[in-house]
Amino acid sequence: MYAADRNLFFSKDGTIDQKQFVTDIAALRGQVQGAGSICNLFQDRYQFSLGIVAGLLNKQTIVLPPSLAPEAIRSAISDAPAPVILSTNADHDALAPRLSFEAAQPGEVEVRDFATLLQDSSTEIRVYSSGSTKQPKCNVKTWKMLRGGAAITDQIIQDLDASPSEVGLLGTTPHGHMYGLEATIFATLGFGHATYRDTIFYPADLEAAVEAARACGISKLVLITSPAHLRFLEAAILAAPEIICVLSATAPFPQALAQKLARRENLKVMEIYGSTETGSMALRQTAHEQAWSLSAGFELKKAQATCLAFAPHLPEPIALEDEIEQHPDGRFTLLGRAGDMVSVRGKRNRLAALNAILSEVSEISDGVFLHAKRSESDALAIAVVPPLDSSLSETEIRSLVRRHLLRHLDAAFVPKKLLFLPEIPRSATGKITRATTLELLKKAGLQS
């Protein structure tokens, strides 16, 4: 149970403490009482957290769609009982009954210690995978499972040279997806760390968040982000001494970028490994570590052609979709996703490794290898996005990309086909869906 004056959320409008939070939970519980399930689309992390706790206390299934696209929402709630949408967007009225929320007036509160009440809750929280390798998949979670995954964030904060009470969390990643859900929402709900309420996307958003933290008396910040966001937030991070830790996940963190960030004084750079199925399960300091260290009580055991992850907060072992190499000291190295192997003219490499090398090309703002399986020799192409302010021609960029790749790769993995795009469509977590990959393969002439 947190003290009544424990700050749980902050923004330019000030802080929200435990007392206000439980008061607002009581009000929202009454508003959603008649619903069978709750589709939580609140973009404000405070309102979103209210929706999570209110629904769990009411024993209402909570649905977190894979995106805000109408069809994704409609599909996610199609088998949910009597859904109500929590949203401030009137466009969602066409999908199901909708409720927004206004702060409650102080009054008597029935439940103050919600964390203790919910620790054994079996009420479902339906979280969806990104759909980067297949269609988004529904994964059923509980309070215990999500709090268990958030333990990594708590561990990182505890290991910082700071008192937890002076630390604030800033999130660029969507809080309806597994990583953002654990590392911001459940780091707050389960461990009491203060989280910034608003969306951060552009450098100006990050600067505003740092200013809001300063005004609220929060002097040290942990940035919960991803490589897709780090590319254009790098300068703003380096210019903000309040940011003492960068925590990245959802895609491989380019080591060169990690090293550049880690060179700034008093900035710890961490990377989390996990999945929607397992939650956050391991971490490393990417600037100088290749191997991952397990956290949150996880253990790995080999089982035939796969590896199983065990943890006290998981109801059953989870088979990893990635191939790993286990080390005698308990750490492990990622070899790549199962089915990630690229074979060209008898030579083999990992798609993740190819993309990691491509990400280091400074003359492009984004890029991805396109891979089509073939019976004898696979086909490759590359899609790249030139920076908006680039003065280089496509011919010059093509030459620079090829030169960089040839310094690090066998020529067999350096395709002649370069597809220039204004942008590569990515999800809010920075991933590329399987549907988008298929479209790009068609554009590159690798698939009909």
Side-chain angles (χ1 to χ4, degrees):
M1 174 64 186
Y2 310 127
D5 60 352
R6 176 74 172 260
N7 288 330
L8 299 181
F9 297 89
F10 67 97
S11 69
K12 62 180 176 57
D13 298 321
T15 58
I16 298 286
D17 60 18
Q18 167 78 2
K19 182 178 180 180
Q20 183 64 56
F21 186 53
V22 296
T23 299
D24 287 342
I25 287 170
L28 185 57
R29 286 186 70 185
Q31 292 180 37
V32 299
Q33 192 66 53
S37 60
I38 291 173
C39 179
N40 194 346
L41 303 182
F42 279 143
Q43 297 306 291
D44 178 313
R45 284 183 176 83
Y46 174 59
Q47 295 178 341
F48 180 88
S49 298
L50 290 173
I52 292 285
V53 177
L56 291 178
L57 289 173
N58 283 356
K59 296 182 171 54
Q60 294 158 313
T61 297
I62 295 170
V63 181
L64 308 178
S67 79
L68 294 178
E71 285 307 312
I73 298 169
R74 186 176 284 110
S75 176
I77 63 175
S78 62
D79 62 348
V84 164
I85 292 177
L86 297 184
S87 169
T88 58
N89 187 346
D91 291 343
H92 294 143
D93 291 346
L95 302 173
R98 179 181 66 91
L99 283 172
S100 55
F101 179 74
E102 295 182 4
Q105 296 300 313
E108 287 300 315
V109 175
E110 180 183 350
V111 175
R112 295 188 183 277
D113 188 3
F114 58 85
T116 299
L117 278 180
L118 294 177
Q119 62 184 355
D120 295 319
S121 170
S122 61
T123 300
E124 292 185 1
I125 304 173
R126 299 181 184 178
V127 186
Y128 284 79
S129 60
S130 63
S132 56
T133 58
K134 49 195 170 186
Q135 288 296 316
K137 176 186 173 185
C138 178
N139 289 265
V140 175
K141 305 294 178 180
T142 62
W143 171 277
K144 179 181 178 180
M145 294 166 71
L146 292 170
R147 186 185 183 278
I152 282 187
T153 305
D154 178 61
Q155 175 187 328
I156 291 169
I157 294 170
Q158 298 292 344
D159 289 342
L160 294 174
D161 183 20
S163 166
S165 63
E166 62 183 348
V167 173
L169 305 181
L170 309 179
T172 71
T173 54
H175 46 271
H177 292 257
M178 195 63 179
Y179 168 50
L181 183 63
E182 288 183 338
T184 59
I185 304 302
F186 273 81
T188 294
L189 299 180
F191 296 93
H193 298 299
T195 287
Y196 183 64
R197 295 176 59 169
D198 300 327
T199 299
I200 298 174
F201 189 85
Y202 297 106
D205 299 329
L206 182 56
E207 292 163 3
V210 172
E211 180 61 34
R214 194 181 297 125
C216 291
I218 297 171
S219 57
K220 298 181 179 181
L221 297 167
V222 176
L223 180 64
I224 313 296
T225 188
S226 69
H229 295 113
L230 282 169
R231 271 182 170 267
F232 54 86
L233 293 177
E234 176 189 332
I237 294 168
L238 294 174
E242 292 88 351
I243 299 175
I244 63 169
C245 181
V246 169
L247 182 54
S248 179
T250 74
F253 193 171
Q255 189 173 47
L257 176 56
Q259 290 171 341
K260 185 175 181 180
L261 291 170
R263 282 196 290 269
R264 200 209 76 185
E265 185 179 2
N266 194 34
L267 181 59
K268 193 171 186 178
V269 181
M270 306 292 296
E271 184 175 9
I272 280 181
Y273 170 75
S275 66
T276 307
E277 292 78 15
T278 63
S280 300
M281 59 178 284
L283 49 81
R284 67 179 180 181
Q285 294 191 58
T286 311
H288 55 265
E289 288 182 318
Q290 291 293 330
W292 298 86
S293 298
L294 290 165
S295 184
F298 272 94
E299 294 181 24
L300 295 179
K301 295 181 181 178
K302 282 287 186 183
Q304 297 180 342
T306 187
C307 189
L308 297 177
F310 296 76
H313 58 277
L314 296 180
E316 60 186 10
I318 304 292
L320 300 185
E321 292 191 355
D322 290 307
E323 296 178 7
I324 68 167
E325 177 185 352
Q326 291 179 275
H327 304 311
D329 62 1
R331 298 187 301 163
F332 68 92
T333 301
L334 276 177
L335 301 178
R337 188 167 288 269
D340 191 34
M341 188 64 71
V342 179
S343 178
V344 181
R345 300 197 294 274
K347 298 176 179 180
R348 293 157 66 83
N349 210 321
R350 293 281 183 179
L351 191 60
L354 300 182
N355 280 320
I357 292 169
L358 180 63
S359 72
E360 296 171 354
V361 179
S362 59
E363 290 82 10
I364 60 174
S365 63
D366 198 3
V368 65
F369 268 83
L370 304 173
H371 173 218
K373 288 280 190 183
R374 298 286 190 267
S375 57
E376 295 183 0
S377 182
D378 295 348
L380 288 172
I382 297 174
V384 299
V385 179
L388 289 175
D389 57 354
S390 176
S391 60
L392 298 173
S393 67
E394 288 190 359
T395 300
E396 290 171 320
I397 292 175
R398 187 187 309 273
S399 176
L400 289 166
V401 170
R402 285 184 57 81
R403 190 181 309 164
H404 174 84
L405 295 180
L406 286 169
R407 281 202 300 267
H408 300 278
L409 295 170
D410 186 285
F413 300 105
V414 184
K416 294 180 179 179
K417 178 71 175 180
L418 237 71
L419 186 66
F420 286 86
L421 299 172
E423 68 171 348
I424 294 173
R426 292 182 180 270
S427 71
T429 57
K431 295 187 177 183
I432 301 172
T433 66
R434 180 59 182 162
T436 296
T437 299
L438 293 174
E439 290 178 12
L440 293 178
L441 285 170
K442 289 178 182 177
K443 284 186 179 181
L446 300 185
Q447 190 159 313
S448 57

